[in-house]
Each structure stands twice: as C-alpha cells, then as structure tokens.
Amino acid sequence: MISSLLPVRVRARRAALPVALCAGLAAALTACGSDPDEGTNGVGKLSATEIENKARTAADGADAVRLSGTLVSKGGSYKIDMRLKGSGGTGTVTSQKSTFGLLRVGDDLFLKADAGFWSHSGSGGSGGAASAAGKLDDKYVKVPSGDPAYQQLRGFTEKAVLLKGMLGLQGALSKGDRAEVGKVRTVRIAAGKDGEGGTLDVALQGTPYPLRFERAGGAGVLELADWNKDFPLAPPAKGDTVDYGQQLPKT
C-alpha cells in the first residue's frame, strides 16, 4: 500500500536504478571481454616506436629465420625463399629471367642453377657456356670471392644484412589494427601517411618477432617465419660440385 502511495516519479527512479546498474555491469564485462590484447604478450599496449624496437631486438637476438616473399628494386623483381642464420644460409632466388639456389657456409658461397641459367652467360659459341651448360645443370658452383657477383649473391644469405635492409620503416610511426599472420595474432605498425612508408606486423603471442613486412613504395612484401628454428647447413658433396672456370654470368 505504501509503495502505491509513492509518487510515480519516485517509483520509476527506483525501478530504473537496478536496470542501469545491470546495463553498466554488462557493458563493463563486454569491454573486458573485447580487449584486443587479452592473452597476448602485452606488446600491443605499447607505442608504435616501442613495438618496433621490441621487434628489432627480438629479430637481432634470434639464431635463425626463414624469409620469403617478393623484393622489387631498380634492378628488377625477385622472389626469395631463404633460411638464414649467423653462419650462413640456403634457399632460392627467382629473378625475371631465372631461378637459382644459393648456399653459403661461412665464407664459401655456392650457386646452383639449371642449364638455362648457364646458357645465358654471354660466352656464346660451342666452346662457351652454352656447351658447358649440360655439365653445370643442377650442380653447385663455388662462387670465387673475387667475382663481381660474389657480394651481390652473398647478400641474399646474410641474416643481419637482409633484416636490416628489409625491415626499414620510413616516416613517423603509428599503431594500427590487430591482425593475423598465419595463425599468430599480430599488431600492425605503419610508417608515413596510410602506411606509405611501410607496414610491419609484430607477433602478439610469445616473443614479439616481426612476421610480415610490406616495404615502402610497393617494393615488395616479405614474411618471416621459423624464428629460432635451426636447420642443417653444410658444404655440398664433392660429387655435386663443379668449377665454372670463369667469371659467373650476371644474374
């Protein structure tokens, strides 16, 4: 009876109070459940610059990595798939004209290609590379350290050199959306306006390794995987190695 005598406004306010509390509690729970960094390594809460530094530190400290994707430069476009570590690297490089394998163990660099690659050496003639192509087909050729191609080809097998050169973001950094590379959650940082200076996806699970890099100016997209996963690296068997006997063809 007493409640029925209360003014309508008072009763309405009392009824609205628990509803508002429930709504507020539900909103808080929803916000907590939608936290994009829940269950992550916490890197996503950092600034873009801090995230980049974490990624670089993780990459520099890793013993091995697999780097694959496309590189675009003034000299043309390359597809690479290289496994790299401090003592060397192995994998393949595909240029506009050919595909060749590279293997470096210490300072010893070997190139492996099919007959078509060697026939483009420019020697010409039956006594030149064209006639030797069959012997060189699918064999390892040791690249002399004094050959003009040595440093160029070695660069594809250098972990530190590749990572330093490929992971350069150009411009002011900003933190972007959460994404995924493979099955790994990532946070994306971008450089310049709309990411025109490059974008980098950094792992939100485990060690904050860089997992995907889109280079500035459309200069290629690279994926980085198998961080710290060792792989065998040894010189090729003597039976699989031949001496080219002259300056290697330009690649």
Side-chain angles (χ1 to χ4, degrees), residues 138-203:
D138 208 31
K139 295 287 187 179
Y140 284 99
V141 173
K142 187 173 182 180
V143 183
S145 59
D147 192 290
Y150 179 86
Q151 290 299 331
Q152 177 190 5
L153 295 174
R154 176 170 176 151
F156 287 109
T157 69
E158 294 273 9
K159 173 181 173 287
V161 172
L162 272 182
L163 292 182
K164 182 178 180 179
M166 304 308 167
L167 300 184
L169 292 166
Q170 302 173 15
L173 300 180
S174 60
K175 186 166 61 175
D177 298 331
R178 305 304 190 274
E180 285 190 358
V181 175
K183 296 182 179 180
V184 180
R185 296 164 64 187
T186 65
V187 58
R188 182 169 297 167
I189 56 175
K193 183 180 179 180
D194 298 323
E196 61 186 12
T199 63
L200 181 67
D201 279 88
V202 179

Side-chain angles (χ1 to χ4, degrees), residues 29-41:
L29 291 174
T30 300
C32 291
S34 61
D35 181 359
D37 296 312
E38 182 180 9
T40 71
N41 54 22

Side-chain angles (χ1 to χ4, degrees), residues 109-112 117-118 121 123 127-129 131-147 236-249:
L109 177 65
F110 302 88
L111 185 151
K112 184 179 183 180
F117 172 90
W118 297 111
S121 66
S123 298
S131 62
K135 297 179 180 179
L136 299 170
D137 182 36
D138 208 31
K139 295 287 187 179
Y140 284 99
V141 173
K142 187 173 182 180
V143 183
S145 59
D147 192 290
K238 289 185 178 181
D240 294 329
T241 308
V242 294
D243 182 10
Y244 186 67
Q246 55 184 297
Q247 181 176 311
L248 268 62

